[in-house]
Amino acid sequence: MTKTPNPSIGNGGEPHQRADGEERVLTTNHGVPISDNQNSLKSGARGPTLIEDFVLREKIFHFDHERIPERIVHARGSGAHGVFEATDDISDLTRAAVFRHGEKTEVFARFSTVAGGSGSVDTPRDVRGFAVKFYTDEGNWDLVGNNIPVFFIQDAIKFPDLIHAVKMEADRGYPQAGSAHDTFWDWASLSPESTHMLMWAMSDRTLPRSLRMMEGFGIHTFRLVNAEGVSSFVKFHWKPRLGVQSTIWDEALKLQAADNDYHRRDLFEAIDSGSFPQWDLGIQVFDQEFADAQPYDVLDATKLIPEEDIPVRLIGTMTLNRNVDNFFAETEQAAFLPSNVPPGIDFSNDPLLQGRLFSYLDTQKSRLGTTNFHQIPINAPRCPFGNFQRDGMMQTNVPNGRANYEPNSLAAHGEEGGPRESMDGFSTTNAVTGPDEMGDKLRVRPESFSDHYSQARLFYRSQDPHEQAHIASAFVFELSKVGLLDQVPPRMVANLRNVDEDLAKRVAKGLGIDLPAKAKAAKDPVDMDPSDALSIHKNMKPTLEGRAVGILIADGTDAVALDKLIAAIAETKGKSVIVAPRVGGAKLSNGKQRKADGQLAGTPSQLFDAVAIIVSDEGCAALMQESAAVEFVMNAFGHLKAVGASEAAQPLLDKAGVEPDDGILGIDGAFVKAAAMRFYDREPSVRMLA
């Protein structure tokens, strides 16, 4: 047991806590014991501070450098420790020790948004990073992916343009953490290869209910190599044990106001309470013959392999069972490198992957120094230069305008468009540079990468009608935020006509523009059989496990009914959260005071997966005078959640505009069953969809 340090008072009345011989001694970083941590060394009590005070200098020096530059992308992250257990023998496919049957490997996982800074919110419409570091006995393996199996681009040379376009606009520093603005859609509408990913980005996949309820994907095609040196192509999948769940757009907006840290808090509290999140690791394995037979290139990161063609084989389980001890030391400083692979796992020639193998190592260096060393006078070129590289530490140039990406159409709108490629620019020679080199060195993409729309069509047509409406509405919302670049929305809709005519018409109608001519596709799309695995709704798990039901009470609430409902929710492994007008709770029908878990004004219904209102006539009358109570019910109804209510609550439901449907129930077992679902058939009655 730690003893209380011996207190002492200095000349100025300041306390000094001194070790008595048993406590740890305070030292400098180099182990020198410190006699006074309250006063700097001075020349006389009122004299100047002396430069020789190494205790002061070290303390201030370290404080001044406690922060490092945040990540350019994936800056806002949440992390946790855990363990991976291999559950299937795949020694015929790979020699990697991490996959030995029964092998347990320590892991660290980091989940993140992409576009926002470290101080942004948890719930924007955004792709989520899903990175896992395996501390194997053959070295670290970093599986660095996203919650979506495809990506916006095919070649790593386009990544700076994508991120410049989606980030805050260069001349104004906003908007933050969102793609609904000019430059992103300018770039996207000029980049047909992004179309498949745009389908996913505009779907509910980018509005996850919880980090615990989203899939993860390695995105690229990798290779597994066995002990005999025989290799196979492989794609990696993470499947959440709780199933894939999402919020809806209006709910996500309100979650940002209710709790900026909604996902981070959810992950931390789940682990802290012992509800350890789990994912199964799966693989899709195939050979060159299968690859050659597909209508798409398996090395194209904008494509996926439908699970109907190659089912996902589950080979292990990851359990996150320990929160970090210090956020900065672990989550913030964690460095993931796709180039970290153990023997038995190898790379393919995916050009996006090849770029990442270089970029991530370079990124770690940049967080410790500067990318702008070329601006130091001794390094600076003496001739004119211009490109789209921007910002970074020690930036001394001051570029004008917002042209920091290409292709762009800013010049067509009267803005500076920036420099352009030169026909006389540097070209790599095709001369052979070694005896084993084969083929020409070319800055080209294979024709097999030219189909940008078939899988986008596959994704859209694999969704159910509600999901398709969400995708169309998301396009309408985002493109409506495009300001002065009036050519951009029609150009984007022209691309969408290659995906699905109905989708394009819905988006055009939602924007109030004429349907433009279809954009010319580099390769005509082909129809692929719909894949149910791509739909959230078609794979919904009707379970309350890992989810929460908000129960609104007031004075006079039936104590027996309340306890019965809480017990029924607990039986389903769900969580009950009591909400009342006052944090002290309410006096129930049995005369006892029931403490609330949350106060009504600060605990809106968007925090829950379903709501129940158990009130008496007196309690209902009081709640009808509370706008927060009306909004609690109104938003739950609008967010398509199950609403259970006692008979006395009907006036409150009426005031909130609740109309009867399959999701409006009493507070019996039928409600508990319905609480695990969303009622998407309700949506046309509560909002206009494209």
Side-chain angles (χ1 to χ4, degrees):
M1 182 175 182
T2 303
K3 300 175 65 175
T4 303
N6 181 28
S8 180
I9 305 299
N11 291 340
E14 77 279 10
H16 293 262
Q17 296 182 317
R18 296 194 168 108
D20 65 2
E22 295 183 14
E23 292 87 1
R24 292 177 58 194
V25 173
L26 184 68
T27 74
T28 68
N29 285 337
H30 301 277
V32 178
I34 296 173
S35 61
D36 189 332
N37 194 39
Q38 304 300 318
N39 301 290
S40 56
L41 185 66
K42 307 177 187 69
S43 178
R46 298 290 300 278
T49 299
L50 299 177
I51 196 170
E52 72 180 69
D53 189 355
F54 62 89
V55 176
L56 167 68
R57 175 164 169 73
E58 181 190 89
K59 189 174 182 180
I60 296 300
F61 174 79
H62 194 277
F63 175 80
D64 287 346
H65 298 275
E66 283 182 355
R67 294 293 174 265
I68 61 177
E70 71 176 33
R71 291 166 171 84
I72 297 173
V73 289
H74 298 279
R76 182 171 180 80
S78 304
H81 297 274
V83 64
F84 173 79
E85 181 175 1
T87 57
D88 194 6
D89 181 11
I90 59 170
S91 57
D92 60 318
L93 297 173
T94 176
R95 56 176 286 207
V98 67
F99 294 133
R100 286 194 297 250
H101 186 258
E103 183 83 7
K104 291 184 178 180
T105 304
E106 182 184 358
V107 298
F108 180 80
R110 185 178 186 272
F111 310 98
S112 55
T113 54
V114 174
S118 61
S120 57
V121 299
D122 273 356
T123 52
R125 178 182 294 281
D126 198 359
V127 181
R128 296 317 194 272
F130 195 127
V132 180
K133 183 183 294 290
F134 297 75
Y135 300 95
T136 86
D137 58 14
E138 296 179 313
N140 286 356
W141 173 36
D142 292 351
L143 183 53
V144 192
N146 288 330
N147 72 324
I148 290 174
V150 294
F151 203 59
F152 289 100
I153 55 176
Q154 298 174 321
D155 193 303
I157 200 170
K158 296 306 304 166
F159 191 71
D161 298 306
L162 162 64
I163 300 305
H164 283 165
V166 76
K167 281 279 195 176
M168 299 178 292
E169 297 196 359
D171 62 345
R172 62 203 66 185
Y174 66 85
Q176 167 76 280
S179 56
H181 59 96
D182 284 4
T183 57
F184 173 74
W185 287 100
D186 183 27
W187 176 88
S189 65
L190 289 165
S191 304
E193 69 197 79
S194 70
T195 309
H196 186 197
M197 179 64 167
L198 290 172
M199 295 296 110
W200 288 78
M202 295 301 105
S203 78
D204 294 347
R205 294 271 180 165
T206 49
L207 304 173
R209 158 65 178 85
S210 166
L211 300 175
R212 301 175 291 127
M213 301 170 193
M214 65 183 192
E215 292 181 304
F217 302 90
I219 301 172
H220 307 288
T221 298
F222 291 83
R223 284 188 178 273
L224 295 178
V225 185
N226 67 16
E228 289 72 41
V230 178
S231 71
S232 307
F233 289 121
V234 64
K235 282 183 173 288
F236 294 104
H237 298 247
W238 290 109
K239 299 287 190 181
R241 285 283 180 91
L242 293 177
V244 180
Q245 295 293 330
S246 67
T247 61
I248 59 175
W249 175 237
D250 184 63
E251 182 181 14
L253 292 176
K254 289 176 174 139
L255 277 169
Q256 293 177 27
D259 188 353
N260 290 342
D261 308 298
Y262 182 65
H263 285 155
R264 180 174 290 177
R265 190 188 314 279
D266 176 82
L267 179 65
F268 185 95
E269 291 181 351
I271 296 173
D272 197 48
S273 68
S275 299
F276 300 141
Q278 290 185 307
W279 288 262
D280 292 316
L281 179 63
I283 55 175
Q284 288 178 301
V285 179
F286 54 98
D287 57 18
Q288 189 66 53
E289 182 179 356
F290 174 89
D292 292 341
Q294 302 314 302
Y296 52 87
D297 196 311
V298 299
L299 301 185
D300 180 353
T302 69
K303 307 298 188 293
L304 56 80
I305 298 176
E307 293 184 28
E308 286 77 3
D309 292 348
I310 299 181
V312 175
R313 175 182 176 183
L314 301 183
I315 61 171
T317 300
M318 176 175 70
T319 303
L320 299 183
N321 54 21
R322 181 166 65 88
N323 283 312
V324 298
D325 293 318
N326 183 274
F327 181 88
F328 177 83
E330 298 170 88
T331 305
E332 185 62 17
Q333 292 193 133
F336 294 88
L337 303 174
S339 53
N340 278 355
V341 294
I345 302 174
D346 207 344
F347 312 117
S348 72
N349 291 330
D350 176 338
L352 181 60
L353 172 60
Q354 290 293 322
R356 292 179 75 199
L357 298 179
F358 166 82
S359 174
Y360 277 64
L361 179 62
D362 192 62
T363 294
Q364 310 313 326
K365 173 65 174 66
S366 74
R367 297 187 75 206
L368 303 175
T370 174
T371 60
N372 289 319
F373 65 91
H374 63 282
Q375 293 183 15
I376 299 171
I378 194 64
N379 297 322
R382 298 330 190 234
C383 61
F385 68 96
N387 53 47
F388 293 101
Q389 275 71 274
R390 293 291 185 270
D391 307 334
M393 294 178 65
M394 300 298 295
Q395 173 61 255
T396 59
N397 290 334
V398 185
N400 296 319
R402 54 179 174 172
N404 64 350
Y405 64 97
E406 63 89 27
N408 71 66
S409 62
L410 297 174
H413 297 84
E415 300 183 36
E416 172 58 47
R420 293 290 184 258
E421 297 174 353
S422 170
M423 293 294 293
D424 299 322
F426 174 82
S427 295
T428 300
T429 178
N430 282 326
V432 174
T433 57
D436 297 325
E437 188 170 309
M438 299 177 62
D440 295 335
K441 293 181 179 179
L442 304 170
R443 287 187 180 272
V444 299
R445 296 188 197 179
E447 290 185 11
S448 60
F449 274 47
S450 63
D451 180 0
H452 305 309
Y453 298 113
S454 294
Q455 290 211 353
R457 177 181 294 177
L458 164 66
F459 180 82
Y460 182 73
R461 293 182 179 177
S462 296
Q463 311 300 302
D464 78 2
H466 304 294
E467 292 172 303
Q468 291 180 344
H470 290 177
I471 291 171
S473 297
F475 273 109
V476 170
F477 171 80
E478 299 246 342
L479 290 170
S480 71
K481 294 296 183 180
V482 174
L484 300 177
L485 309 187
D486 53 12
Q487 296 178 16
V488 170
R491 192 162 65 220
M492 192 63 236
V493 175
N495 289 348
L496 292 179
R497 291 193 67 181
N498 286 297
V499 177
D500 187 271
E501 278 293 323
D502 180 64
L503 170 62
K505 290 176 181 177
R506 293 167 78 167
V507 175
K509 181 179 179 181
L511 294 171
I513 62 175
D514 294 334
L515 187 67
K518 180 187 295 187
K520 180 176 176 53
K523 184 176 182 179
D524 290 335
V526 298
D527 289 327
M528 301 175 67
D529 292 335
S531 170
D532 286 347
L534 304 180
S535 166
I536 292 178
H537 291 187
K538 296 175 184 177
N539 293 281
M540 293 284 282
K541 281 192 173 183
T543 175
L544 267 181
E545 182 178 354
R547 296 162 201 163
V549 178
I551 305 175
L552 179 59
I553 66 172
D555 289 344
T557 286
D558 187 323
V560 174
L562 177 60
D563 289 340
K564 185 177 180 181
L565 178 59
I566 292 173
I569 293 170
E571 285 182 7
T572 67
K573 298 183 180 181
K575 177 182 178 182
S576 297
V577 180
I578 305 299
V579 181
R582 294 174 296 278
V583 73
K587 183 175 289 189
L588 305 184
S589 61
N590 59 7
K592 294 182 179 180
Q593 189 78 8
R594 182 63 176 261
K595 192 176 186 306
D597 299 309
Q599 192 259 345
L600 176 59
T603 315
S605 62
Q606 48 265 34
L607 296 174
F608 310 116
D609 298 281
V611 300
I613 302 93
I614 307 179
V615 294
S616 62
D617 292 334
E618 172 193 0
C620 182
L623 288 178
M624 289 181 65
Q625 306 307 311
E626 289 279 355
S627 62
V630 178
E631 289 182 358
F632 187 91
V633 179
M634 180 187 302
N635 285 333
F637 181 72
H639 295 152
L640 318 181
K641 298 173 182 177
V643 178
S646 59
E647 290 185 10
Q650 190 59 48
L652 180 60
L653 269 60
D654 292 340
K655 187 171 184 178
V658 173
E659 299 176 358
D661 62 30
D662 291 342
I664 310 303
L665 302 140
I667 51 174
D668 53 13
F671 164 71
V672 176
K673 183 177 181 180
M677 300 179 287
R678 297 258 184 169
F679 293 85
Y680 290 97
D681 288 339
R682 180 191 304 163
E683 193 158 24
S685 69
V686 296
R687 63 180 56 85
M688 293 178 61
L689 294 171

